[in-house]
């Protein structure tokens, strides 16, 4: 099922919802379609509307402040674009920079995407001990960036340019 990006009334990214939930929000006049899939349409007995990619809420929703996105293995893979931090190849696993056996935590700054071969080769050593320097340093994505990265690549392609500008602000 397609994910639909939900923007607050102020155009800030809030979350992603399923296609059916997005259609319900639009039909209840709680949201408007900001961008739709060009050829796809949702049809029912009395209504027809484009399949929404991005919807915007009609009323502003106050969101509690979150300092950082919650950590997850999938989030690390998405943040690193499924590229191994050691060789640049296709990553399928998550590696702890400081191994858990040495007190390393499950955190954004201590985990990187890794291919299975490099993860196995590094084992329970630090990159320095293993002689495997990181190609790029891990970082903490903002909650909004993490949510946008979580969209499938096909759903991210063609998002409006202004959405990227809102993120930079």
């Amino acid at each position: 099922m397609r994910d639909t990006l939900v923007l607050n009334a102020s155009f800030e990214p809030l979350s992603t919802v399923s296609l059916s939930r997005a259609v319900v929000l639009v039909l209840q006049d709680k949201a408007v379609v900001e961008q739709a899939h060009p050829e796809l349409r949702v049809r029912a007995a009395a209504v027809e509307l484009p399949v929404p990619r991005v919807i915007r809420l009609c009323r502003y929703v106050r969101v509690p402040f979150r300092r950082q996105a919650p950590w997850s293995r999938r989030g690390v893979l998405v943040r690193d674009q499924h590229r191994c931090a050691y060789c640049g190849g296709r990553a399928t696993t998550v590696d702890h920079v400081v191994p858990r056996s040495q007190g390393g935590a499950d955190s954004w700054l201590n985990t990187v995407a890794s291919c299975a071969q490099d993860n196995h080769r590094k084992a329970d050593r630090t990159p320095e001990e293993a002689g495997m320097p990181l190609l790029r340093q891990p970082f903490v994505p903002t909650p909004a960036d993490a949510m946008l990265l979580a969209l499938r690549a096909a759903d991210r392609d063609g998002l409006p340019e202004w959405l990227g500008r809102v993120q930079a602000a």
Side-chain angles (χ1 to χ4, degrees):
M1 185 157 287
R2 297 184 184 275
D3 286 333
T4 302
L5 178 63
V6 178
L7 304 177
N8 210 339
S10 60
F11 291 91
E12 298 167 285
L14 282 180
S15 66
T16 58
V17 296
S18 67
L19 173 60
S20 59
R21 179 68 180 140
V23 169
V24 168
L25 288 170
V26 170
L27 290 177
Q28 291 178 338
D29 291 326
K30 293 182 179 181
V32 294
V33 177
E34 287 292 330
Q35 185 181 36
H37 290 278
E39 300 90 28
L40 303 175
R41 300 193 69 75
V42 174
R43 292 187 177 98
V47 67
E48 179 179 331
L49 66 131
V51 172
R53 291 179 68 172
V54 180
I55 61 173
R56 182 176 48 86
L57 298 177
C58 296
R59 296 178 58 123
Y60 182 80
V61 174
R62 185 177 160 94
V63 180
F65 179 72
R66 284 201 321 206
R67 295 180 208 274
Q68 71 180 44
W71 180 88
S72 69
R73 288 179 176 273
R74 181 176 180 270
V76 172
L77 290 169
V78 169
R79 176 199 67 188
D80 295 347
Q81 299 172 343
H82 292 271
R83 291 284 157 231
C84 178
Y86 302 107
C87 70
R90 175 101 172 116
T92 56
T93 65
V94 172
D95 180 57
H96 290 79
V97 178
V98 175
R100 295 179 73 187
S101 64
Q102 295 182 21
D106 288 341
S107 69
W108 288 111
L109 297 177
N110 189 47
T111 51
V112 292
S114 174
C115 65
Q117 182 179 359
D118 284 342
N119 198 344
H120 182 70
R121 187 167 60 123
K122 180 179 163 285
D124 63 346
R125 301 175 290 174
T126 64
E128 294 78 26
E129 293 170 348
M132 300 171 63
L134 291 170
L135 297 177
R136 57 182 167 270
Q137 293 299 312
F139 63 94
V140 180
T142 66
D145 288 341
M147 190 247 340
L148 287 174
L149 285 171
L151 286 173
R152 289 182 294 238
D155 291 335
R156 280 195 313 263
D157 291 342
L159 283 178
E161 285 181 33
W162 50 263
L163 187 55
R165 286 195 301 269
V166 169
Q167 291 302 100

